[in-house]
Amino acid sequence: MDAETIFKNIDLDSWQTVLQQVGRLIIAQKNDEFWKLRNAGAKNISFPFWEDDFKVFRETNKAKIIELEKKRLVNKYDKRNIEGEYLDSKISDLQFLQMPLKPDQRNEVLVALAQKGVQVYETEIPLSTDVYFSLQNITIDYHSDNYHDRAQWKLTVKAMARWFKTDLYPASVYLEIDRNIPQWIEEGRELKREFDKIEKIEQINANSIKVLVKNKMRELGCEYRFNEKKAEPFQKPKKTKDYLLEVKLQKGRELAITIPSAKIEKVRTLLDSLSTYIDAINNVPANVRIHYHKVGGGEQWIVEENENR
């Protein structure tokens, strides 16, 4: 699977980061290669070691992965939470590249942190924090009881009072995360400014569309209503807005058209076709109605055989 194919399979609406999707796609590719060899009768073959290929791929395509990850974040989240989601992306990606430690290695990590000057607190008080340590930009605490929503390690970014689930990792991982937090926060703020650019473009498009609709309706001499289309249930708050143009027709009918705000040229083409639609519908007799039929609704439709065929 080459880079182009892998990037075509990236889902920009996924909860997984682009780096994690790339890793899983490469794992799937290696698994396929392994089983093809096994099914072909090959013997004495070991399970493919995918980490080397993954490392080479991510280093070779680092810029593309970063670009797509920013697109995923802007596509999936909105301005209100993009900084926190960017932090989540960077922290989870760094941890994705590490191997979690076993629970019995906890003391090794705590000793290593203490040797770096980190103050570590431990307690055996029931329903309390078992382990807690604070670095410059983050804190880590561990609960072993179900009272705290099952046993878990928790990483909290001080500047944002935002916490993330984590695992037990070598002390070097926590120290690296701590060093990078200020830079990641600034990068998240920079990404947030992308939404300001998007909003400005959307406002310019909206104003242009209103002018286009107004001019076309004046040209056609039609009565009309033009409003922002209501959002669908569970629609993303930042989804590009659409508009609804309702044109009053003859015989008590009206024409309702969704006007997209993202592509001005598409709107021009749609408005240029209006006169054809209006004339066609106005010429249909008043006793004729057009409805949507239910797809797969179990209706019985009659098909008459044509003897001349």
Side-chain angles (χ1 to χ4, degrees), residues 46 61 111 116 153 169 179 207 254 257 282:
S46 60
N61 299 280
V111 169
K116 293 291 184 179
W153 287 92
Y169 289 102
R179 283 193 301 269
N207 292 338
E254 70 171 49
I257 303 173
N282 280 339

Side-chain angles (χ1 to χ4, degrees), residues 109-127:
V109 176
L110 300 183
V111 169
L113 286 168
Q115 289 173 345
K116 293 291 184 179
V118 178
Q119 187 67 49
V120 178
Y121 303 90
E122 292 187 82
T123 177
E124 295 181 357
I125 301 173
L127 303 183

Side-chain angles (χ1 to χ4, degrees), residues 88 141 149 152-157 160-166:
D88 192 5
D141 59 77
D149 188 25
Q152 64 176 13
W153 287 92
K154 185 171 75 174
L155 183 155
T156 302
V157 177
M160 301 184 69
R162 183 183 175 104
W163 68 273
F164 310 88
K165 285 185 179 180
T166 184

Side-chain angles (χ1 to χ4, degrees), residues 209-228 243-249 253-257 259 271 274 278:
I209 288 169
K210 289 175 183 177
V211 171
L212 288 172
V213 169
K214 185 176 181 179
N215 291 341
K216 177 58 68 174
M217 293 299 100
R218 182 187 295 118
E219 175 190 327
L220 297 176
C222 295
E223 295 182 65
Y224 73 100
R225 292 183 298 194
F226 184 69
N227 298 292
E228 186 179 314
Y243 296 90
L244 184 66
L245 173 60
E246 298 170 281
V247 183
K248 188 176 181 181
L249 304 180
R253 292 182 291 216
E254 70 171 49
L255 179 64
I257 303 173
I259 304 291
L271 292 175
L274 268 183
I278 291 171

Side-chain angles (χ1 to χ4, degrees), residues 24 30 83 105 117 151 168 200 252 257:
R24 285 171 173 81
K30 287 297 180 182
E83 293 175 81
Q105 295 176 280
L168 178 64
K200 187 174 182 179
I257 303 173

Side-chain angles (χ1 to χ4, degrees), residues 83-92 95 132-141 153-166 173-174 176-186 188-189:
E83 293 175 81
E85 296 301 338
Y86 183 82
L87 260 184
D88 192 5
S89 165
K90 301 302 288 188
I91 292 172
S92 63
Q95 293 180 149
Y132 172 87
F133 53 91
S134 176
L135 289 81
Q136 185 174 353
N137 300 297
I138 64 173
T139 61
I140 305 287
D141 59 77
W153 287 92
K154 185 171 75 174
L155 183 155
T156 302
V157 177
K158 295 179 182 179
M160 301 184 69
R162 183 183 175 104
W163 68 273
F164 310 88
K165 285 185 179 180
T166 184
V173 175
Y174 298 126
E176 184 175 356
I177 291 173
D178 189 65
R179 283 193 301 269
N180 280 288
I181 290 296
Q183 178 184 337
W184 290 343
I185 289 176
E186 183 53 40
R189 288 171 180 165

Side-chain angles (χ1 to χ4, degrees), residues 229 244 254-258 281 289-297 299 301:
K229 197 171 184 181
L244 184 66
E254 70 171 49
L255 179 64
I257 303 173
T258 297
I281 298 173
R289 292 289 181 266
I290 299 174
H291 304 282
Y292 283 110
H293 71 83
K294 295 180 181 179
V295 178
E299 304 93 340
W301 296 88

